[in-house]
Amino acid sequence: MGYELRVERDAPLAYAELANVVSAEAGFELRGSHEAGEVVARHGDALHHVAAWSGRLIGTPGSDWQVAQLARLTDVIGARLVGEDGEVYGIRNGIVEQINGSASYEFGKLEEIIAAGPTEWSA
């Protein structure tokens, strides 16, 4: 299992709300049931895993594309994307970034990352 990113917000996220948001947001699909499901996003002709649903959303990204998709989804549902070490991921001025205390890391421009697709990180 990889590094987990949790989608957190003040009000609990209900499956019905997630389904409404995902169906309205271009590029995302929700599969499964309210007990266990996943959010996927399309790139080219293929669908790729973005997050797992089991009463909450959790992503285990393996690429900048997956981090960007998680950040996009998090913005749409009005939540925060938080890593295991407390760092926060998001989109600011079109840039996908990670903030940990006073340090920040920019993944790059959202548009470019999404266009490049889910190229896996090398170990």
Side-chain angles (χ1 to χ4, degrees), residues 38-114:
E38 71 174 332
V39 175
V40 295
R42 182 170 299 284
H43 186 265
D45 293 334
L47 290 172
H48 301 274
H49 178 82
V50 173
W53 169 264
S54 61
R56 62 187 185 141
L57 277 174
I58 295 179
T60 52
S63 69
D64 288 355
W65 182 88
Q66 287 174 308
V67 172
Q69 293 289 14
L70 278 164
R72 237 181 91 220
L73 179 61
T74 302
D75 277 356
V76 171
I77 60 176
R80 295 173 303 282
L81 185 58
V82 181
E84 292 177 4
D85 297 324
E87 73 282 11
V88 178
Y89 297 77
I91 302 167
R92 184 169 48 104
N93 300 323
I95 305 292
V96 179
E97 65 181 359
Q98 173 197 62
I99 299 171
N100 193 358
S102 61
S104 67
Y105 169 77
E106 292 184 351
F107 286 84
K109 292 182 182 180
L110 176 65
E111 294 174 357
E112 293 174 359
I113 294 170
I114 298 297

